[in-house]
Amino acid sequence: MALGVPALPLTYVAHVLALVASILVVLWVLNFRGGLAWDSDNKALIFNLHPVLIVIGLLVLGGEAIISYKALPLKKEVKKLIHLVFHAIALILGIVGIYTAFKYYNESGIANLYSLHSWLGIGVIVLYGIQWIYGFVIFFFPGGTPDIRRASLPWHALFGLFVFVLAVGTAALGFLEKLTFLENSGLDKYGSEALLVNFTAIITVLFGAFVVLSALADAPPAPAADDYEAI
């Protein structure tokens, strides 16, 4: 899978978009939604953890894990370890992020798991977990044979991109769902918060696009000793 263009410039754009998306989602919940809390009488503060953990954890760290092979001038084994650890952290934060949504709904007495966003979210985290476990077992420990690794790699890479794209799309649905609820509760449709949420969603989608482009672009030449390469 290659686009015939160098990946490194695309990864720079992805890094910038990741930083902007992270700043914007934190700015949103701190300046417009009252802040963050694990336990609070104001249950909305608990929910605010959800978009922060999903964007910064599952999407940004997950995306950075995907492009680590194309962005870092390090030995393959070091990049593989970074790839593994970043995805593990992203998965953990994603699970906690989903838990905070359940915690908010349950403590508020609100029904959950009724929307397309929630259904896709559960699917994403399950697929992400399967992908990570498979990658750990085949490519890290105990590790498959060279033939198994070589045969598995294209499918591992393709499935990983599929799950990441699905996660970005699910996040976009989440921004839309939350903003719709807020607007139905009286939020100005053309106010600063509405514009910020929409802009954050657009930046998140652009980040996802540049992660995919970076993953499909040409990586720097691999060392001669490398018999396989992950994207």
Side-chain angles (χ1 to χ4, degrees):
M1 292 185 292
L3 296 178
V5 297
L8 200 57
L10 297 173
T11 66
Y12 293 155
V13 178
H15 295 326
V16 172
L17 292 171
L19 179 61
V20 174
S22 300
I23 292 173
L24 290 180
V25 73
V26 172
L27 181 66
W28 174 38
V29 299
L30 293 183
N31 283 18
F32 292 95
R33 294 290 99 205
L36 303 163
W38 186 260
D39 286 301
S40 175
D41 292 333
N42 182 358
K43 302 305 178 184
L45 302 185
I46 298 173
F47 179 84
N48 290 345
L49 288 166
H50 177 69
V52 171
L53 291 172
I54 295 300
V55 171
I56 297 178
L58 192 67
L59 299 184
V60 168
L61 286 180
E64 292 290 342
I66 289 173
I67 64 176
S68 62
Y69 278 98
K70 304 293 181 74
L72 300 175
L74 303 171
K75 292 181 179 179
K76 183 192 70 177
E77 291 304 317
V78 176
K79 290 189 288 187
K80 183 165 71 173
L81 182 60
I82 292 172
H83 180 79
L84 177 78
V85 171
F86 270 40
H87 271 312
I89 298 172
L91 177 60
I92 292 169
L93 293 180
I95 292 171
V96 176
I98 289 177
Y99 171 78
T100 59
F102 277 101
K103 180 178 171 69
Y104 162 72
Y105 284 117
N106 291 336
E107 293 186 10
S108 301
I110 302 173
N112 52 41
L113 286 179
Y114 61 85
S115 67
L116 178 61
H117 170 67
S118 61
W119 288 17
L120 288 175
I122 295 297
V124 164
I125 208 68
V126 170
L127 293 176
Y128 205 114
I130 293 172
Q131 170 79 345
W132 190 87
I133 292 170
Y134 182 83
F136 183 89
V137 171
I138 298 299
F139 299 106
F140 195 76
F141 182 83
T145 65
D147 287 342
I148 291 176
R149 294 199 305 268
R150 194 173 293 111
S152 297
L153 183 58
W155 295 104
H156 177 70
L158 182 62
F159 188 70
L161 285 179
F162 166 74
V163 174
F164 178 75
V165 170
L166 186 60
V168 172
T170 302
L173 278 177
F175 282 118
L176 173 62
E177 181 179 291
K178 181 63 175 178
L179 186 56
T180 301
F181 288 157
L182 292 173
E183 290 174 346
N184 288 340
S185 299
L187 182 72
D188 184 358
K189 292 180 172 60
Y190 298 99
S192 55
E193 182 176 2
L195 294 176
L196 176 61
V197 173
N198 281 331
F199 192 67
T200 304
I202 290 171
I203 294 296
T204 301
V205 170
L206 287 175
F207 167 68
F210 273 89
V211 167
V212 173
L213 290 174
S214 300
L216 298 178
D218 294 337
D226 289 353
D227 61 349
Y228 69 94
E229 179 192 15
I231 69 170

